[in-house]
Amino acid sequence: MIKLLRIDHRLLHGQVAFSWAQNLDANAILLANDELVHDTLRQNVIKFSKPAGVKVIAKSIDDSVEAIKSGVTDKYNLFIIVETIQDAYKLAKAINLNEINLGGTYPHEGYEEIGVAVHVNEEDKALLRKMVGEGIDIYIQGVPSNKKEYIKDILK
């Protein structure tokens, strides 16, 4: 069962690993990222952040979609983390998800900060608006105890 899809440019780190996994009662974390599957050093570093008793799997976006559609992930309380808004859109559309937690995006030069740790450019804004228009609830929420800030209210 998919518990949450989160966008976080850091993928897995202490805050995500412990606060979100515990709050969601997740027993598996899927890191859906095309670059990470080829970077064993980064995978090893990330795995140091995993909570005890939680399985961490790294797959490409396409392989993640395939695994979810095949039912192999159904036995888990699955927490999915992607690195970008574009990856979240691709995954959400492919597996019919209607909720995305926007946890953090990298602060590139020329990007606007629209929430704590959330930086977007015009392309990102257009994609977020498109997703909202397609019925996907997207909200900024750094940790479970924070109030949700809905993108539909931020990007009017």
Side-chain angles (χ1 to χ4, degrees):
M1 170 190 219
I2 297 172
K3 303 297 275 185
L4 184 66
L5 170 59
R6 177 180 170 91
I7 302 166
D8 193 320
H9 72 273
R10 299 166 293 181
L11 292 173
L12 190 64
H13 56 93
Q15 173 183 313
V16 168
F18 293 97
S19 65
W20 280 106
Q22 182 178 16
N23 180 269
L24 297 169
D25 194 29
N27 57 8
I29 298 172
L30 172 58
L31 304 174
N33 183 274
D34 292 338
E35 289 79 32
L36 181 63
V37 296
H38 303 293
D39 189 341
T40 53
L41 177 61
R42 188 173 178 203
Q43 284 181 43
N44 289 333
V45 170
I46 284 173
K47 287 184 180 178
F48 282 115
S49 298
K50 85 173 200 70
V54 177
K55 182 175 184 163
V56 175
I57 308 113
K59 290 188 174 290
S60 69
I61 298 295
D62 290 339
D63 287 346
S64 296
V65 169
E66 185 178 316
I68 292 164
K69 285 185 171 184
S70 77
V72 73
T73 63
D74 290 352
K75 63 185 174 187
Y76 297 108
N77 286 337
L78 189 62
F79 178 28
I80 305 170
I81 307 170
V82 297
E83 194 170 32
T84 67
I85 294 167
Q86 292 75 17
D87 285 347
Y89 179 66
K90 185 175 180 183
L91 192 65
K93 290 298 288 180
I95 61 173
N96 264 344
L97 284 180
N98 60 3
E99 179 183 357
I100 298 173
N101 168 249
L102 183 47
T105 54
Y106 193 75
H108 295 90
E109 187 175 326
Y111 279 50
E112 174 186 351
E113 186 172 26
I114 61 168
V116 176
V118 177
H119 305 84
V120 295
N121 61 16
E122 292 305 317
E123 180 183 318
D124 295 330
K125 288 180 190 178
L127 186 53
L128 289 167
R129 286 183 183 109
K130 178 179 180 177
M131 287 191 278
V132 168
E134 293 176 358
I136 300 173
D137 284 331
I138 306 168
Y139 56 88
I140 297 170
Q141 186 180 26
V143 292
S145 60
N146 290 359
K147 181 182 174 207
K148 293 178 181 179
E149 298 175 60
Y150 286 88
I151 290 299
K152 67 181 180 184
D153 298 328
I154 296 169
L155 300 179
K156 295 181 182 183

